[in-house]
């Protein structure tokens, strides 16, 4: 499509030029063929063939001069209109090109140093597979711009410090802030470059209301930055296990968060071809915006390749994955079940009561075999705030999701459709509260 547009734009001036040359040649030719020279006159005087007879004298000379003049005017007109057409087409093309480039950059961003951008990002953009990145629809941020937006990556702007780098709040203008993840090597077994490429590549391809939005990226020397939308309410982990201990999350909000995550996963498993397995789903990778819409983040380990293994961690990973690295969408369903247990019980995915961390699954599942037990082990922050039938239903879904045998676990689409009727209509479900 793009190629066709460029082709047409180039074709137009060539066509105009060609047409002009052709008409010019035609004019000359017609002039030549319509004029004869009468010999024997003091000067050879051209007359029109159609006049038939000779008509010597001053009037004929006058006619010849006017024809000559007309021809010159015609040539001048053709040449100037050709030049005008070529200039206008060129200007229109230039304007469209500029407009497209401006549209691609983030609102209000003035790109400062083109040299930094083109020199440093070229190799990485080639490695990144995504069509959006190649086509340039994902903005490439200037390092200096991010530096000034984060107050030189100052400690006061740090939102969190992770194993792979720091996360900063960045102010691109007075009213809006974004999040900048600065990956600077950190060392260890994690390959920063690969994670950066994987994250940018996935997020450039995946667009869904329940998946974090990628706003752009930056490559500067050894530093890699990824720019995301700001999620004002932080992670689900910090809401559940941080200072507020889940008090900000009502039963209905918890159900909304569960449905949002299931919608995001359903998109990855059912609507991406081939399906995408996130492989690192956990409450710290579920982010909440100002209205508690939940979005899945951290695609550094996501894959469509079923033979890749992650460095193992306890808690959210299914046993078949930890033991023989089998990657299927059912790994994500298991991790979703763990998050559902965290939402119900307010417990971390892996607690450390002693030296050995205990998974919430091994702690809760035996207790949940008797559903009368459930209200006793429920998160105190939501005790007595929901319809018990709904509570039992959600607990049953959670237990199914964390089945040791992957084939016994439901598909995420089934999970989603069993949760939607428990969520009020105004929160995106189908429950009508009378
Ligand atoms: N877009 C965002 N808006 C607001 N807070 C965010 C955003 N992204 C991440 N955070 C916060 O930063 C924390 C760390 O996120 P990050 O993805 O950087 O983790 P990480 O370094 O990859 O570590 P891990 O691999 O353990 O998840 C999140 O748990 C969340 O609290």
């Amino acid at each position: 499509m793009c190629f066709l547009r460029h082709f047409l734009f180039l074709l137009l001036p060539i066509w105009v030029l060609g047409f002009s040359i052709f008409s010019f040649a035609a004019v000359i030719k017609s002039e030549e063929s319509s004029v004869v020279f009468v010999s024997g006159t003091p000067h050879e005087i051209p007359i029109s063939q159609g006049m038939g007879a000779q008509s010597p004298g001053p009037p004929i000379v006058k006619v010849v001069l006017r024809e000559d003049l007309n021809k010159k005017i015609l040539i001048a007109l053709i040449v100037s209109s050709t030049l005008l057409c070529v200039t206008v087409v060129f200007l229109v093309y230039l304007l469209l090109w500029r407009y497209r480039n401006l549209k691609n950059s983030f609102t209000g961003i003035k790109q400062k140093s083109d040299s930094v951008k083109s020199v440093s990002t070229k190799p990485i953009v080639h490695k990144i597979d995504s069509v959006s990145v190649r086509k340039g629809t994902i903005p490439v941020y200037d390092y200096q711009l991010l530096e000034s937006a984060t107050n030189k990556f100052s400690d006061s702007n740090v939102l969190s410090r992770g194993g792979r780098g720091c996360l900063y709040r960045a102010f691109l203008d007075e009213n809006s802030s974004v999040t900048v993840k600065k990956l600077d090597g950190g060392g260890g077994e994690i390959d920063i470059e690969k994670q950066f490429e994987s994250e940018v590549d996935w997020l450039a391809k995946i667009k869904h209301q329940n998946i974090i939005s990628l706003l752009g990226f930056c490559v500067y020397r050894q530093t890699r930055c990824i720019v995301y939308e700001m999620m004002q309410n932080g992670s689900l982990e910090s809401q559940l296990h941080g200072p507020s201990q889940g008090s900000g999350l009502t039963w209905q909000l918890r159900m909304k968060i569960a449905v949002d995550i299931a919608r995001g996963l359903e998109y990855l498993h059912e609507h991406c071809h081939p399906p995408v397995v996130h492989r690192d789903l956990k409450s710290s990778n579920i982010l909440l915006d100002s209205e508690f819409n939940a979005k899945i983040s951290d695609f550094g380990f996501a894959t469509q390749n079923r033979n890749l293994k992650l460095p193992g961690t306890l808690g959210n990973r299914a046993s078949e994955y930890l033991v023989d690295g089998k990657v299927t969408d059912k790994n994500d369903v298991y991790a979703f079940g763990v998050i559902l247990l965290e939402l119900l019980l307010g417990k971390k995915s892996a607690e450390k009561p002693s030296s050995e961390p205990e998974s919430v699954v091994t702690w809760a599942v035996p207790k949940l075999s008797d559903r009368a037990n459930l209200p006793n082990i429920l998160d105190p922050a939501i005790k007595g705030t929901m319809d018990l039938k709904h509570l039992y239903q959600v607990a049953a879904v959670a237990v199914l999701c964390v089945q040791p045998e992957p084939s016994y676990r439901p598909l995420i689409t089934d999970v989603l459709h069993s949760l939607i009727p428990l969520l009020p209509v105004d929160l995106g479900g189908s429950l009508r509260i009378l």
Side-chain angles (χ1 to χ4, degrees):
M1 215 31 223
C2 184
F3 168 75
L4 194 69
R5 216 170 45 228
H6 283 260
F7 181 68
L8 282 177
F9 264 113
L10 285 174
L11 208 64
L12 198 60
I14 291 171
W15 182 81
V16 171
L17 197 66
F19 178 76
S20 310
I21 291 169
F22 178 78
S23 20
F24 177 48
V27 166
I28 300 277
K29 206 156 179 260
S30 72
E31 290 276 339
E32 274 172 6
S33 63
S34 65
V35 169
V36 292
F37 288 91
V38 179
S39 55
T41 52
H43 307 288
E44 286 184 345
I45 300 165
I47 55 167
S48 143
Q49 262 177 336
M51 288 172 79
Q54 285 180 28
S55 44
I60 295 175
V61 173
K62 258 189 200 168
V63 169
V64 170
L65 283 178
R66 200 180 292 134
E67 269 184 9
D68 208 15
L69 193 66
N70 283 347
K71 205 163 81 182
K72 280 183 183 161
I73 291 170
L74 199 64
I75 293 168
L77 270 174
I78 290 170
V79 170
S80 54
S81 59
T82 305
L83 283 177
L84 191 72
C85 274
V86 171
T87 316
V88 167
V89 169
F90 179 72
L91 281 177
V92 168
Y93 184 67
L94 202 71
L95 278 175
L96 284 176
W97 182 76
R98 280 285 303 155
Y99 173 70
R100 216 188 56 192
N101 272 10
L102 276 178
K103 223 171 71 175
N104 286 344
S105 30
F106 194 73
T107 323
I109 293 170
K110 199 170 169 297
Q111 299 188 332
K112 288 176 189 166
S113 158
D114 278 344
S115 58
V116 171
K117 216 173 20 169
S118 54
V119 171
S120 55
T121 58
K122 230 178 169 183
I124 202 86
V125 169
H126 278 287
K127 273 199 237 168
I128 295 173
D129 185 39
S130 164
V131 178
S132 322
V133 173
R134 281 180 183 278
K135 273 174 86 181
T137 53
I138 303 291
V140 179
Y141 280 76
D142 191 59
Y143 183 76
Q144 280 76 15
L145 176 81
L146 296 183
E147 203 176 39
S148 67
T150 54
N151 199 12
K152 295 203 168 137
F153 295 104
S154 78
D155 283 351
S156 57
N157 285 52
V158 171
L159 286 170
S160 107
R161 284 180 205 279
R164 292 172 276 164
C166 270
L167 198 87
Y168 296 87
R169 183 189 296 274
F171 294 93
L172 291 174
D173 58 46
E174 281 168 16
N175 306 318
S176 69
S177 62
V178 297
T179 311
V180 177
K181 188 187 270 185
K182 187 173 174 226
L183 304 163
D184 44 18
E189 54 184 291
I190 300 165
D191 184 342
I192 296 297
E193 194 72 35
K194 260 201 191 136
Q195 294 242 329
F196 170 79
E197 284 166 22
S198 171
E199 177 101 0
V200 172
D201 195 21
W202 283 119
L203 290 180
K205 286 190 276 206
I206 298 169
K207 302 264 175 259
H208 187 267
Q209 60 189 16
N210 299 116
I211 290 172
I212 189 88
S213 296
L214 172 74
L215 300 182
F217 64 92
C218 163
V219 175
Y220 181 69
R221 296 181 183 156
Q222 298 308 309
T223 304
R224 307 281 177 263
C225 296
I226 309 179
V227 184
Y228 306 95
E229 63 179 313
M230 170 58 76
M231 300 295 282
Q232 288 84 348
N233 279 309
S235 70
L236 177 60
E237 183 194 41
S238 61
Q239 286 287 335
L240 283 175
H241 315 302
S244 65
Q245 290 288 301
S247 59
L249 298 180
T250 61
W251 166 256
Q252 288 193 343
L253 271 184
R254 290 176 199 225
M255 285 302 96
K256 175 179 165 44
I257 291 167
V259 166
D260 283 352
I261 304 168
R263 281 203 172 110
L265 275 184
E266 189 200 38
Y267 173 77
L268 296 177
H269 293 179
E270 308 281 337
H271 301 285
C272 293
H273 301 287
V276 176
V277 182
H278 184 281
R279 294 202 301 166
D280 197 20
L281 199 70
K282 53 187 177 182
S283 55
S284 63
N285 288 338
I286 304 300
L287 302 176
L288 305 167
D289 70 9
S290 55
E291 282 156 16
F292 287 93
N293 296 304
K295 304 193 183 192
I296 301 171
S297 75
D298 208 344
F299 281 73
F301 294 116
T303 185
Q304 288 174 320
N305 180 346
R306 286 162 187 260
N307 297 314
L308 285 177
K309 200 176 174 189
L310 259 183
T313 45
L314 255 182
N316 294 64
R317 308 245 162 86
S319 57
E320 78 278 4
Y321 181 60
L322 289 174
V323 173
D324 49 56
K326 233 173 138 190
V327 178
T328 72
D329 50 358
K330 296 295 180 78
N331 305 147
D332 285 346
V333 172
Y334 182 94
F336 177 82
V338 174
I339 294 177
L340 215 46
L341 289 175
E342 282 185 74
L343 283 167
L344 290 179
L345 312 177
K347 284 202 159 293
K348 288 188 181 175
S349 61
E351 298 273 6
K352 278 190 180 169
S354 58
S355 56
E356 270 299 293
E358 187 187 22
S359 147
V360 68
V361 175
T362 47
W363 181 84
V365 171
K367 295 180 175 65
L368 290 175
S369 57
D370 177 8
R371 73 182 196 176
N373 254 340
L374 187 50
N376 306 325
I377 59 170
L378 205 60
D379 185 346
I382 49 167
K383 250 182 196 164
T385 62
M386 78 291 288
D387 183 332
L388 271 184
K389 271 190 285 174
H390 292 177
L391 177 63
Y392 296 147
Q393 200 166 329
V394 178
V397 171
V399 171
L400 271 179
C401 290
V402 297
Q403 288 297 303
E405 171 53 44
S407 58
Y408 292 172
R409 293 175 208 150
L411 292 172
I412 198 65
T413 188
D414 300 330
V415 171
L416 175 63
H417 290 105
S418 60
L419 294 179
I420 283 176
L422 311 181
L423 185 67
V425 173
D426 57 331
L427 292 178
S430 60
L431 179 68
R432 295 196 180 276
I433 301 171
L434 303 168

